[in-house]
Amino acid sequence: MSQYSFAQYQESADAIRAKIGDFQPKVAMILGSGLGFLGDEVEHPIAVPYAQIPHFKVSTAPGHKGQLVFGTLEGQAVAVMQGRMHHYEGYSYEEVSYAVRVLRLLGCDTLVVTNAAGCVNREWSAGDLMLITDHIKIFMESPLRGENLPQFGPRFPDASHLYTPALREVARQAAAELSIPLREGVYMYFPGPQYETPAEVRFARVAGADAVGMSTAPEVITAGHCGMQVLGFTLLSNMAAGILDQPLSEQEVLDAAEAAREKFSGLVRACLRRL
Ligand code: HPA
């Protein structure tokens, strides 16, 4: 049994439509730890708090505001999620990615996702930016578990190119233009909220991961299912557990996000200009 019916997604979309009039969003953006401020830079903004949208959940994680902002950014019609839902907050994966389908119904065909994550690749450094080329999410269920809603996509969706190759090329060009070094790698999803153990990080490395984090993969699976193009970036906010002889802390993640603010937002904006 699917928890949400197509009618519920439609109800949420209709409620938002009533607030944004005939504005047509094209690019949905889910901004992770520390990048939510981009939502404040949207021009001609119409903010819709999650609490005012039927069936929406609120995000409880620190640094996540809990509203959708519609408007333009670098000339693109965007719908910015200031604050995402995480599984560790107690939400199901279907709830975590609920908004993606609603934004699809509102007309978005592209999803830009950002997150902060631990750096697994020993050759790289904390503070580096990574273009997500693929992800690993093999533990716990899929956001698509349950009855399939064929209005969104097929029962068994292809996942060979979840992170759209053409958009990855856009990101490379944007990074080159701005002289921002951009790593490319695989993001491995862990449910959290505890950071990984050193053994789990070693496991992630041999599995082929370059970064470990607690978000993004559920929303991207849902976006791929409903035919959206996806562009994903990770701020490698810290070396993953066990690499350095120091404990991980949320403060370290937030500080890294603050330090990378200009570089990260510049890159995302440059990509928007090229979409
Ligand atoms: N692990 C998981 N999630 C994270 C990390 C990490 O090291 N850093 C920021 N988010």
Side-chain angles (χ1 to χ4, degrees):
M1 256 299 273
S2 177
Q3 186 186 345
Y4 292 109
S5 64
F6 185 75
Q8 285 176 303
Y9 288 102
Q10 194 71 61
E11 238 184 279
S12 300
D14 290 347
I16 294 171
R17 177 57 67 205
K19 294 187 189 280
I20 64 174
D22 57 10
F23 178 75
Q24 269 312 325
K26 180 180 184 304
V27 181
M29 304 179 72
I30 305 180
L31 304 172
S33 309
L35 260 200
F37 73 90
L38 261 185
D40 298 328
E41 299 183 357
V42 169
E43 294 157 45
H44 313 296
I46 307 173
V48 184
Y50 298 159
Q52 293 177 11
I53 307 170
H55 316 301
F56 254 62
K57 304 293 175 189
V58 295
S59 46
T60 65
H64 291 253
K65 262 192 183 173
Q67 61 180 15
L68 270 163
V69 183
F70 296 85
T72 50
L73 200 57
E74 299 295 343
Q76 289 290 342
V78 297
V80 179
M81 286 192 76
Q82 278 187 307
R84 57 154 55 97
M85 279 52 104
H86 302 82
H87 189 70
Y88 63 72
E89 295 173 83
Y91 300 132
S92 71
Y93 288 117
E94 196 180 7
E95 289 167 339
V96 163
S97 53
Y98 184 83
V100 172
R101 286 178 161 181
V102 173
L103 292 173
R104 180 65 169 143
L105 290 177
L106 286 167
C108 293
D109 60 12
T110 301
L111 175 68
V112 176
V113 278
T114 73
N115 60 54
C119 182
V120 169
N121 189 318
R122 289 173 166 279
E123 322 249 294
W124 302 350
S125 309
D128 288 357
L129 292 181
M130 183 185 94
L131 174 64
I132 307 176
T133 57
D134 204 351
H135 74 222
I136 300 172
K137 184 190 178 310
I138 43 176
F139 301 117
M140 307 186 67
E141 68 269 25
S142 162
L144 306 177
R145 176 171 182 260
E147 181 194 333
N148 185 51
L149 295 179
Q151 297 93 331
F152 289 113
R155 168 76 295 184
F156 299 108
D158 178 57
S160 316
H161 299 291
L162 278 181
Y163 298 83
T164 311
L167 296 188
R168 284 189 252 153
E169 187 52 34
V170 164
R172 285 182 200 110
Q173 289 172 9
E177 178 192 283
L178 297 174
S179 304
I180 293 174
L182 185 60
R183 308 291 191 183
E184 296 192 25
V186 173
Y187 176 94
M188 184 163 182
Y189 174 84
F190 281 79
Q194 74 284 355
Y195 291 115
E196 300 71 29
T197 65
E200 286 164 346
V201 171
R202 289 194 296 275
F203 168 73
R205 188 178 298 117
V206 298
D210 297 289
V212 285
M214 307 174 196
S215 68
T216 302
E219 298 102 306
V220 169
I221 290 169
T222 297
H225 177 247
C226 61
M228 296 173 83
Q229 304 203 63
V230 176
L231 176 61
F233 294 106
T234 290
L235 165 65
L236 300 163
S237 56
N238 53 280
M239 296 310 287
I243 295 181
L244 304 177
D245 187 20
Q246 62 185 50
L248 273 51
S249 78
E250 182 182 347
Q251 195 54 49
E252 181 184 9
V253 174
L254 295 175
D255 290 348
E258 184 56 34
R261 187 181 157 119
E262 294 307 315
K263 175 171 80 162
F264 206 175
S265 66
L267 178 59
V268 170
R269 279 173 168 279
C271 289
L272 285 176
R273 284 198 293 277
R274 293 162 181 273
L275 290 182

